[in-house]
Amino acid sequence: MQGKPRKAAIAAWIGSALEYYDFFIYGTAAALVFSKIFFPSSSPGTGTLLALATFGVGYLARPVGAFVLGHVGDRFGRKKVLVTTLVMMGASTFLVGCLPTYDDVGMLAPILLVTLRLLQGFSVSGEQAGANSMTLEHAPEGRRAYYTSFTLNGTQAGQIIATAIFLPIAALPEDQLLSWGWRVPFWLSIVVAAVGLVIRRTLEETPAFEQEVATNTVAKMPLLVLFREQWRDVLRVVVAAVIASVSTIFTVHALSYAVNTMHLERSPMLWVGVLANVAAVISIPLWGRLSDRIGRKPVFVGGSLGCAILMFAYLWSISVGNYVLIFVAGIVMFGIVHSATSAVWPAFYGEMFTTRVRLSGMAIGTQIGFAIAGFAPTIATAVAGTGQGSWLGVSLITAALCLINVAAVATAKETYRIPTEQLGRTPIQGVKA
């Protein structure tokens, strides 16, 4: 990597890692702690379901944030969105660590928790779309997937950091974990936000957006242009983005199932996540390179079908309590196979849209799809139950979502050889709004 493309990719990687550290520590805490400190009056099964629902609530705010931040990014520039999201995420995450528990203030505690989770979701809605637009528009021809893959590579790194920090926390005695231990990772978000802010403030705006400014072709109403000219692509991205369900099932549901239902040790299960994400950090750029050579669709579809199959192996291995199989299945499925989809979609989705509406199109399409994925752990738990045999029902649900993704990707146009300036063009492109 050289010059501005390299700087954009590094900034996207670091910013995404820091932002998703904040987002994923919430998921880990929801699976391990929140049912006991925010919903203690419920039965264990109901408490777990409610705690997982608060994780999903964050995804409800994502579509709203996508509309707002998408407009800002396409109207005023990518950089403004990237700075705003970090500040908002850091503040809301820090405040989660300061919340009183149910024993302190009763129902006010879960209400405040949900409010801050909504702010997290609003913030993260513009993060990936902004970072992807930034790197794609800086990237040289023929290497767009490789450069944009660093955004998702950063999210995996953020998950590694989040899970790794919870490893010593999870090893604390139960009383210390529930009283103060769970708060520490949330408080560390202040450092996360400060570092990310310094990095992103030094990043330059993309040449594509600067060209629009110079030629006075920036859309005054990007959302109007988007839904008038490219609504089909938005819908396609919405459906394709349900592949994120694999991540939420792996990260939240499987962890809760292993610890709360099968009573496996917390630390080994957290280590599965760490090692799987280490594998993802290595494999994502490699899948991106392959996508630049053979196309987006073959890599994407192959990864989706692989996840549909391997989720059965992973959840079954948890159901029989075999740690060796758990580690192997988890690392292969999430660290390698799912990484094929993570490497491709940042370029593939962005390449569906013109520069005028790229951030809006990506943000709205992905965040609506991710909102569905965010509730996948809750839906899976509600449908399949919380018993030892629930792994089969959850696996079937996940496989169905993967097949939906495959159908959406199959209908899309292959874009890896289209020049950047011609991406997303429609017959009525150029009409100002």
Side-chain angles (χ1 to χ4, degrees):
M1 293 190 292
Q2 296 180 352
K4 292 181 180 179
R6 178 183 180 183
K7 185 176 181 181
I10 292 174
W13 187 95
I14 295 176
S16 293
L18 296 176
E19 181 116 351
Y20 272 78
Y21 159 80
D22 286 0
F23 200 70
F24 279 114
I25 58 172
Y26 189 103
T28 305
L32 298 180
V33 177
F34 285 172
S35 64
K36 300 172 183 175
I37 61 176
F38 289 106
F39 305 100
S41 61
S42 305
S43 66
T46 302
T48 298
L49 185 61
L50 291 172
L52 294 179
T54 67
F55 178 80
V57 161
Y59 286 82
L60 284 179
R62 283 181 166 213
V64 178
F67 277 89
V68 175
L69 296 174
H71 171 85
V72 172
D74 284 328
R75 180 73 177 88
F76 302 104
R78 312 335 190 184
K79 181 176 177 179
K80 293 184 184 300
V81 170
L82 296 181
V83 172
T84 300
T85 55
L86 270 180
V87 173
M88 188 179 299
M89 176 63 82
S92 58
T93 305
F94 176 81
L95 290 174
V96 170
C98 301
L99 285 178
T101 66
Y102 185 91
D103 288 341
D104 296 324
V105 295
M107 281 302 298
L108 180 61
I111 291 173
L112 292 174
L113 178 68
V114 169
T115 301
L116 292 175
R117 181 60 175 171
L118 289 171
L119 289 177
Q120 277 192 327
F122 186 96
S123 168
V124 82
S125 66
E127 166 58 34
Q128 285 182 334
N132 290 339
S133 298
M134 180 72 75
T135 51
L136 187 149
E137 292 169 6
H138 274 297
E141 299 293 346
R143 302 192 71 191
R144 291 192 299 255
Y146 172 69
Y147 279 94
T148 55
S149 72
F150 279 83
T151 304
L152 266 290
N153 192 290
T155 68
Q156 307 304 133
Q159 193 166 348
I160 293 172
I161 298 169
T163 308
I165 285 180
F166 254 100
L167 283 169
I169 298 298
L172 289 171
E174 185 83 358
D175 60 332
Q176 295 183 34
L177 171 65
L178 299 181
S179 61
W180 60 267
W182 69 272
R183 300 179 183 274
V184 174
F186 291 92
W187 289 337
L188 291 176
S189 63
I190 286 295
V191 178
V192 170
V195 173
L197 186 60
V198 170
I199 293 169
R200 290 198 162 172
R201 284 176 65 87
T202 65
L203 191 62
E204 296 181 17
E205 191 54 79
T206 70
F209 185 79
E210 289 180 337
Q211 177 65 21
E212 284 195 336
V213 173
T215 57
N216 196 32
T217 55
V218 175
K220 294 181 174 61
M221 296 294 293
L223 297 181
L224 179 61
V225 177
L226 176 67
F227 287 105
R228 183 179 62 203
E229 300 181 4
Q230 296 195 256
W231 64 268
R232 293 179 181 86
D233 293 307
V234 175
L235 181 61
R236 184 175 288 112
V237 172
V238 169
V239 179
V242 298
I243 192 62
S245 300
V246 174
S247 177
T248 55
I249 292 291
F250 175 84
T251 304
V252 181
H253 174 84
L255 179 60
S256 177
Y257 173 63
V259 174
N260 297 324
T261 301
M262 300 308 302
H263 305 293
L264 301 182
E265 294 294 326
R266 285 192 296 256
S267 291
M269 293 309 304
L270 290 174
W271 270 110
V272 174
V274 171
L275 295 179
N277 281 287
V278 169
V281 167
I282 297 170
S283 61
I284 283 176
L286 301 179
W287 287 119
R289 283 183 181 273
L290 181 63
S291 172
D292 282 329
R293 294 179 180 177
I294 69 173
R296 314 300 188 221
K297 295 170 71 171
V299 178
F300 207 149
V301 169
S304 298
L305 292 176
C307 289
I309 297 170
L310 289 171
M311 184 61 79
F312 286 88
Y314 180 59
L315 293 180
W316 173 80
S317 65
I318 293 175
S319 74
V320 298
N322 189 313
Y323 284 108
V324 174
L325 292 178
I326 290 171
F327 273 82
V328 172
I331 292 170
V332 172
M333 181 194 69
F334 192 74
I336 298 175
V337 177
H338 182 260
S339 293
T341 67
S342 298
V344 172
W345 77 252
F348 192 37
Y349 297 167
E351 288 168 346
M352 295 182 189
F353 302 99
T354 63
T355 301
R356 300 181 79 206
V357 297
R358 179 166 293 124
L359 205 155
S360 296
M362 289 188 70
I364 293 170
T366 56
Q367 298 314 314
I368 294 176
F370 290 166
I372 299 171
F375 279 97
T378 308
I379 295 171
T381 301
V383 173
T386 58
Q388 294 184 7
S390 63
W391 70 271
L392 180 59
V394 174
S395 299
L396 289 170
I397 292 171
T398 306
L401 293 172
C402 289
L403 293 178
I404 290 172
N405 165 268
V406 169
V409 172
T411 66
K413 179 171 63 176
E414 184 59 78
T415 53
Y416 77 113
R417 289 182 175 174
I418 299 177
T420 301
E421 66 273 10
Q422 296 179 17
L423 291 173
R425 286 190 172 180
T426 64
I428 59 174
Q429 182 192 0
V431 180
K432 293 185 178 182

